Amino acid sequence: QVQLVESGGGEVQAGGSLRLSCAANGSIRTINAMGWYRQAPGKQRELVARITSGGSTTYADSVKGRFTISRDNAKNAGNLQMSSLKPEDTAVYYCNAQIQAMGDLIRGYWGQGTQVTVSS
């Protein structure tokens, strides 16, 4: 069974930084794209950043230049470094990964979510 475990959320003042981590556990054959999404109260879940297995990245316009996504393929892990945080970045952040477990097809998995709160 594959699980995504997130860590690193919390509360920070505007202008501060946080680093989110996502670790994939289980019998994993390969991980394709990994991404971070967020959902603020009353809003739809949105893509924040995405990284392919080859390292190509995509960012939402609202976080370009402030957030950096990375991954460690050897550790089946990914990170989201968030800097210059704004109150509008407040949301629950979710890790997502396209994973092929041993003996299975590629499936999308979600982490449990981690709260990020930015105070003004």
Side-chain angles (χ1 to χ4, degrees):
Q1 186 176 359
V2 173
Q3 287 185 321
L4 292 179
V5 180
E6 301 162 10
S7 60
E11 184 169 354
V12 66
Q13 289 190 331
S17 299
L18 282 174
R19 182 180 177 88
L20 304 182
S21 296
C22 176
N25 299 318
S27 298
I28 296 169
R29 181 179 182 88
T30 187
I31 301 178
N32 289 350
M34 299 184 75
W36 289 92
Y37 291 71
R38 66 186 180 187
Q39 188 166 19
K43 295 188 177 181
Q44 289 188 331
R45 190 173 297 189
E46 63 175 356
L47 175 66
V48 176
R50 183 177 181 269
I51 184 168
T52 67
S53 57
S56 296
T57 57
T58 304
Y59 295 94
D61 288 343
S62 59
V63 306
K64 282 181 181 177
R66 300 188 298 122
F67 291 11
T68 302
I69 189 171
S70 62
R71 62 189 288 169
D72 185 334
N73 291 330
K75 296 182 178 180
N76 290 334
N79 298 291
L80 183 69
Q81 178 67 45
M82 305 183 294
S83 302
S84 301
L85 283 161
K86 304 176 181 180
E88 51 264 43
D89 294 318
T90 296
V92 177
Y93 284 69
Y94 297 90
C95 176
N96 173 271
Q98 303 300 309
I99 298 174
Q100 184 181 19
M102 296 296 185
D104 198 5
L105 302 174
I106 294 176
R107 300 180 187 277
Y109 291 84
W110 290 93
Q112 78 279 10
T114 185
Q115 177 71 46
V116 172
T117 302
V118 184
S119 58
S120 57

